Amino acid sequence: MNQVDPNSTTAFLPILMMLIVAIGFAVFTLVASHFLGTRVNDPAKLSPYECGITPTGSARERFHTRFYLVAMLFIVFDIETVFLYPWAIVFKQLRIFGLIEMAVFVGILLLGLVYVWGKGALEWD
Amino acid sequence: MDAAFLIESAVKVLIVLGFVLLGVPLIVWMERKVIGHMQDRIGPQRVGPFGLLQTIADGIKLFFKEDLIPGQADRVVFFLAPALSVITAFVALSVVPFGDKVTVFGRDVPLHVADVNVAILWVLGTTSMGVYGIVLGGWASNSKYPLLGGLRSSAQMISYELAQGISLVSVILMTGTLSLAGIVAQQEHMWFIVPQFFAFVIFLLCGIAETNRAPFDLPEAETELVAGFHTEYSSMKFALYFLAEYANMMVVSAVAISVFFGGWRGPFLPPVAWFLIKLSLFLFFFVWLRATFPRLRYDQLMAFGWKVLLPASLLNLAVTAIVVALTG
């Protein structure tokens, strides 16, 4: 018996090792290239790239609210997805009961999707 | 837990890391060669046999390039963002089973870095952390093209993440487990591509969009946004973004193989060979798509994600749930 129980915390230990190795790799390459590369600075080179034309204004501009709208819709539907996972795991025990329960839950969210669709929140023009 | 487990894990971590670091140059070479031939050119052929060492040479070159940090950039975030991208890709790969058990020194070694009971959630969670790498990189550059690229990318990735997550739920309804090793174990008689073909199609389309590959490569649309979120990046920071993109292609392919194509299962050849064959076919498919399709327009892209893929994945889930509830 030398298998690690997939339900135990020990099963995550190799992932932690992978995380440490990956961080080490990323830090090593970034630091190494930082010191290996030559460096010749001048103000034009350090200015933001705008196809060779002198940059106008700041990049910290306001951007369109549509991006916020997508983010908000995402949160609503992503929470739905998060609820679907534990439901799917125990679905074979719940059977018809689970089906009806989830149909009500997803049905309400689908109504929401139809509503935002009708309101034009999904249009991008 | 014992010392042998720690050593075994460390060896597997290094194998996966080495596999990615050697595999990515190979994929890039394959992509350039295949696209070259598809466009009636010959692709790289000067460095090494068949140009095989071209990507390695490019990598070494990038190491010695000037590490330019734009004057107005947020320096800490500018460093952090590419590292975040590449770390999440590596960590996601650590739960993918790439072979059956092998016996080393009388010890059964399962061929995956970690077998956790929430493997699919782990992959989805870490790959969505990858969005931060891109949006923070775009924001930290303090330049207009990267900012637009980063915003587009985040909106695209979160939109396609929904359908991707829901398409996987319909497979989990059938398996009752989130462990990738467990899902592979249940595909002994039939691959899940057969009952869940639509889920696979949705998953793959979302995977292509998640990795920002053509025809969904809007965040780095060269013709309008220069290079998108990594316009201001140079040297190894750029290389890390590049590495992350190809490592993420590996993640999507590996998860698709494990969930829909029986993982390492296959006749005659050893399991690891089957895994590599399937992985190569998937990566070839990614390249083939890039050579075949023109880029989508941004409104088409968002409409496709929200109005086609999301309802389709919910419909597929409903049909699967009804069938599973009635038949058990």
Side-chain angles (χ1 to χ4, degrees):
Chain A
M1 175 58 203
N2 53 25
Q3 294 303 307
V4 173
D5 179 14
N7 296 315
S8 65
T9 321
T10 318
F12 285 89
L13 200 68
I15 295 187
L16 181 68
M17 293 164 91
M18 181 58 120
L19 185 66
I20 293 167
V21 170
I23 291 174
F25 166 74
V27 169
F28 168 75
T29 41
L30 288 179
V31 171
S33 77
H34 193 74
F35 289 109
L36 281 175
T38 48
R39 195 159 309 222
V40 187
N41 288 340
D42 72 79
K45 198 171 175 183
L46 292 179
S47 69
Y49 177 76
E50 271 174 39
C51 306
I53 302 168
T54 312
T56 48
S58 165
R60 302 273 190 265
E61 292 272 357
R62 294 186 291 175
F63 45 85
H64 208 285
T65 46
R66 249 187 232 114
F67 289 107
Y68 293 105
L69 204 57
V70 168
M72 281 192 283
L73 290 176
F74 165 74
I75 289 173
V76 173
F77 284 97
D78 205 39
I79 288 172
E80 171 193 353
T81 317
V82 168
F83 280 128
L84 283 174
Y85 275 89
W87 167 77
I89 297 287
V90 292
F91 186 70
K92 283 188 175 160
Q93 284 109 64
L94 297 174
R95 307 290 287 269
I96 301 292
F97 170 72
L99 185 68
I100 295 168
E101 284 285 302
M102 196 42 89
V104 173
F105 177 66
V106 174
I108 293 169
L109 275 156
L110 265 184
L111 276 181
L113 182 66
V114 171
Y115 176 76
V116 291
W117 195 328
K119 275 283 179 185
L122 303 181
E123 305 302 325
W124 199 287
D125 44 25
Chain B
M1 187 183 74
D2 48 16
F5 171 69
L6 288 179
I7 295 166
E8 171 199 316
S9 304
V11 169
K12 284 189 288 190
V13 163
L14 292 178
I15 287 175
V16 170
L17 188 83
F19 177 72
V20 177
L21 292 183
L22 286 177
V24 166
L26 208 60
I27 301 167
V28 176
W29 170 81
M30 187 270 284
E31 171 161 34
R32 293 179 64 178
K33 206 75 181 162
V34 167
I35 287 202
H37 282 284
M38 283 179 176
Q39 294 170 346
D40 212 7
R41 300 181 283 116
I42 42 179
Q45 54 153 354
R46 297 277 174 185
V47 190
F50 307 107
L52 256 172
L53 300 177
Q54 181 67 53
T55 338
I56 311 267
D58 286 344
I60 295 169
K61 178 197 74 180
L62 279 169
F63 244 112
F64 292 97
K65 282 284 173 184
E66 179 173 354
D67 187 21
L68 193 75
I69 304 167
Q72 298 176 323
D74 187 318
R75 296 177 73 93
V76 177
V77 182
F78 195 73
F79 261 97
L80 201 65
L84 196 61
S85 271
V86 82
I87 290 167
T88 53
F90 275 120
V91 171
L93 266 180
S94 58
V95 292
V96 175
F98 49 90
D100 203 357
K101 286 187 185 61
V102 290
T103 309
V104 183
F105 302 127
R107 188 182 154 82
D108 282 344
V109 179
L111 287 182
H112 40 65
V113 173
D115 177 22
V116 292
N117 54 1
V118 290
I120 287 187
L121 282 183
W122 177 260
V123 171
L124 287 177
T126 46
T127 49
S128 51
M129 284 288 287
V131 182
Y132 284 108
I134 287 170
V135 72
L136 286 179
W139 179 83
S141 304
N142 204 349
S143 173
K144 286 164 198 130
Y145 291 117
L147 183 74
L148 288 173
L151 283 176
R152 274 188 179 187
S153 179
S154 49
Q156 168 183 340
M157 285 166 101
I158 60 178
S159 301
Y160 280 76
E161 211 175 288
L162 293 174
Q164 190 180 34
I166 294 172
S167 68
L168 284 178
V169 173
S170 37
V171 178
I172 293 157
L173 276 179
M174 301 177 68
T175 63
T177 174
L178 286 168
S179 155
L180 282 174
I183 291 174
V184 172
Q186 292 187 19
Q187 298 183 71
E188 201 175 341
H189 303 295
M190 182 174 59
W191 291 355
F192 283 130
I193 174 85
V194 180
Q196 288 293 342
F197 180 72
F198 290 105
F200 167 68
V201 172
I202 294 166
F203 177 82
L204 189 65
L205 285 173
C206 294
I208 298 162
E210 286 272 293
T211 48
N212 297 328
R213 292 287 302 179
F216 302 110
D217 57 345
L218 272 292
E220 41 189 303
E222 294 94 339
T223 43
E224 38 184 319
L225 286 181
V226 191
F229 60 90
H230 57 53
T231 304
E232 299 284 357
Y233 278 90
S234 57
S235 183
M236 277 319 270
K237 294 206 201 68
F238 166 75
L240 283 191
Y241 270 129
F242 210 70
L243 185 68
E245 178 180 328
Y246 285 87
N248 275 322
M249 280 162 65
M250 280 191 189
V251 173
V252 171
S253 308
V255 172
I257 291 164
S258 305
V259 172
F260 295 104
F261 283 88
W264 37 263
R265 287 180 188 284
F268 312 124
L269 292 171
V272 178
W274 270 111
F275 183 79
L276 291 178
I277 290 170
K278 290 173 187 175
L279 190 66
S280 315
L281 288 176
F282 261 92
L283 294 168
F284 177 79
F285 180 72
F286 272 89
V287 173
W288 189 10
L289 272 183
R290 179 178 157 189
T292 308
F293 288 107
R295 188 177 294 130
L296 268 74
R297 225 170 48 219
Y298 199 68
D299 60 323
Q300 293 172 330
L301 174 93
M302 296 305 276
F304 185 61
W306 283 96
K307 295 179 182 174
V308 179
L309 288 183
L310 182 61
S313 62
L314 283 170
L315 184 69
N316 185 56
L317 177 70
V319 172
T320 311
I322 290 168
V323 171
V324 172
L326 293 181
T327 61

